[in-house]
Amino acid sequence: MDTDRFDRRKFVKGVGAAGLVGLAGCTGGPESGGSDGDETEASTPAADDEDTEASETEASGSDTTNVGMVYATGGLGDGSFNDQAQTGIQQAAEEFDLSYDESEPDSVSQFSTYQTQYAQSTDPDYDLVSCIGFLQADALSQTAPDYPDQDFMIVDSVVDADNVRSYTFKEHEGSYLVGQLAGLLTSRSFSAGESSTAGDSTNVGFVGGVESSLIAKFEAGFTAGVKAANEDVDVQTTYTGSFSDPSAGQEAALSMYSSGADIVYHAAGNTGAGVFQAARDEGKFAIGVDRDQSVTTDYQDVILASMVKRVDTAVYNAAGATVNGEFEAGTATSLGLADDGVDIVYGTELGDQIPEDVKSEIQSSREAIIDGEISVPDSPE
């Protein structure tokens, strides 16, 4: 999607917590945080001056729906989770003619400040505040009751409040499919581009970001898929403790590859870029997450497939429901394979080289999961 096509407002990046606390009593949105000199323009393509002026004029009108986006730590440009959320709000802006602002907290401690600032703003008045990522749940649990007339939505966690709609995903179902892919390919001699599997490998790898029940769902599904393909293949697992540390991801993956793994799956945000680099360095393969990372990163030559999670669908649906007056606060929705909430997509450069019999087995599993014939665990066994 061409981001240049959208009317973009200013957004805040890296504003210190102290500065934001000082702004909490202001009536303006987060863009007014520039008074301390820390506010920057979007790092993604920004609208030209004329477009920006038009957008802000429009946003001040009472008929415009305004959405505040609070992204997960790791920020935009991850080619994954946050970018997927941004795709959803961009699509909503195009189709529903709404206006939105974006904020990129640098740490968990900033979530509450950003959520509060959007909720308090009267210029513009935000109709919906979108909170991206499970690490925002604790902050939102405290923020939402203080602003009962403000609608919120959260991705990847459930917050029990009358003014919050929660969206979660069945990551374990999609991860099962990419696990099956890894198990099938590591059990045979397979090569594509400059990478290959050994054929006699006894293990594959999983690199997680912050260890949590959410990321454990990725691990559980992946391991179940690997075992379904070949019970004798083990899964090496490492959590780096960060979603924004590519060096840690690279170090973890290099260790796995040197231990015999030839395919590593990550659920680690920006940390995953290090996994891809390690795969390239070692002539091995990797599997992306949340988006088709063979498109959103420069590692098409090592990415076999990605487990896509339709965060964009959740953001888009919530924004659209707000515009149409159909937002159902106080509810929770979980999206799986049957809802097109998660799925496997094959890499743009390597996908065509994956044997058809492998793809056929994976497709059969996909249908069996939807039909309830395969039950995928959502926690490591």
Side-chain angles (χ1 to χ4, degrees):
M1 184 172 292
D2 184 0
T3 54
D4 283 320
R5 297 175 57 193
F6 297 98
D7 288 340
R8 295 287 309 277
R9 297 172 60 87
K10 299 174 183 176
F11 83 142
V12 179
K13 176 180 175 61
V15 178
L20 282 169
V21 170
L23 291 166
C26 297
T27 55
E31 65 179 0
S32 60
S35 59
D36 62 4
D38 286 334
E39 180 179 293
T40 62
E41 295 291 335
S43 58
T44 47
D48 58 29
D49 292 343
E50 182 178 351
D51 287 345
T52 301
E53 181 178 354
S55 177
E56 291 182 345
T57 300
E58 181 179 294
S60 65
S62 59
D63 294 334
T64 299
T65 296
N66 297 289
V67 178
M69 297 290 296
V70 184
Y71 291 110
T73 57
L76 293 170
D78 60 0
S80 185
F81 185 67
N82 282 312
D83 286 358
Q84 187 82 325
Q86 188 187 47
T87 296
I89 193 61
Q90 288 175 338
Q91 183 181 355
E94 181 180 51
E95 297 187 15
F96 301 119
D97 195 27
L98 57 76
S99 182
Y100 65 97
D101 286 303
E102 302 173 297
S103 300
E104 295 182 84
D106 292 323
S107 66
V108 173
S109 64
Q110 293 181 339
F111 286 140
S112 177
T113 305
Y114 279 102
Q115 293 166 5
T116 298
Q117 194 175 8
Y118 279 121
Q120 289 184 336
S121 174
T122 56
D123 184 22
D125 182 5
Y126 291 95
D127 301 278
L128 176 69
V129 179
S130 294
C131 304
I132 309 304
F134 73 98
L135 290 175
Q136 300 205 41
D138 288 345
L140 186 56
S141 295
Q142 298 185 32
T143 302
D146 291 338
Y147 301 93
D149 295 329
Q150 172 68 61
D151 284 335
F152 297 89
M153 66 88 74
I154 186 168
V155 170
D156 270 357
S157 189
V158 175
V159 171
D160 185 15
D162 291 340
N163 55 339
V164 178
R165 178 156 191 180
S166 305
Y167 292 88
T168 57
F169 296 85
K170 298 177 181 178
E171 293 90 350
H172 47 297
E173 293 185 349
S175 295
Y176 181 100
L177 302 183
V178 296
Q180 187 177 19
L181 172 66
L184 290 170
L185 291 183
T186 200
S187 301
R188 65 174 72 185
S189 295
F190 169 74
S191 62
E194 300 297 322
S195 302
S196 62
T197 60
D200 57 354
S201 171
T202 59
N203 66 84
V204 294
F206 172 81
V207 174
V210 177
E211 190 166 9
S212 61
S213 58
L214 171 66
I215 304 303
K217 292 166 66 179
F218 292 83
E219 178 193 347
F222 180 71
T223 300
V226 171
K227 293 295 185 181
N230 187 337
E231 184 65 34
D232 295 330
V233 174
D234 294 324
V235 178
Q236 300 184 67
T237 297
T238 295
Y239 285 81
T240 65
S242 173
F243 292 116
S244 55
D245 190 348
S247 295
Q250 184 175 8
E251 181 179 352
L254 284 172
S255 176
M256 292 174 175
Y257 290 130
S258 66
S259 297
D262 42 33
I263 301 172
V264 175
Y265 171 45
H266 88 88
N270 259 335
T271 299
V275 174
F276 299 148
Q277 184 60 51
R280 178 178 289 169
D281 292 344
E282 298 299 310
K284 302 297 183 182
F285 296 108
I287 296 174
V289 76
D290 290 343
R291 303 187 77 184
D292 180 356
Q293 294 202 282
S294 72
V295 173
T296 61
T297 70
D298 294 327
Y299 293 98
Q300 296 84 359
D301 55 324
V302 298
I303 296 175
L304 287 168
S306 297
M307 198 291 281
V308 295
K309 189 168 81 170
R310 300 305 302 272
V311 178
D312 56 332
T313 297
V315 171
Y316 171 87
N317 287 348
T322 300
V323 171
N324 294 323
E326 299 171 348
F327 186 80
E328 297 182 16
T331 61
T333 301
S334 182
L335 304 174
L337 282 174
D339 315 291
D340 292 326
V342 296
D343 213 335
I344 182 175
V345 294
Y346 296 103
T348 53
E349 184 171 318
L350 304 183
D352 289 345
Q353 300 177 60
I354 296 172
E356 287 302 319
D357 64 306
V358 170
K359 292 182 177 179
S360 178
E361 285 195 52
I362 293 170
Q363 178 60 26
S364 294
S365 294
R366 184 182 187 281
E367 295 169 1
I369 293 171
I370 293 173
D371 292 341
E373 297 169 4
I374 294 177
S375 178
V376 183
D378 60 5
S379 60
E381 297 178 332

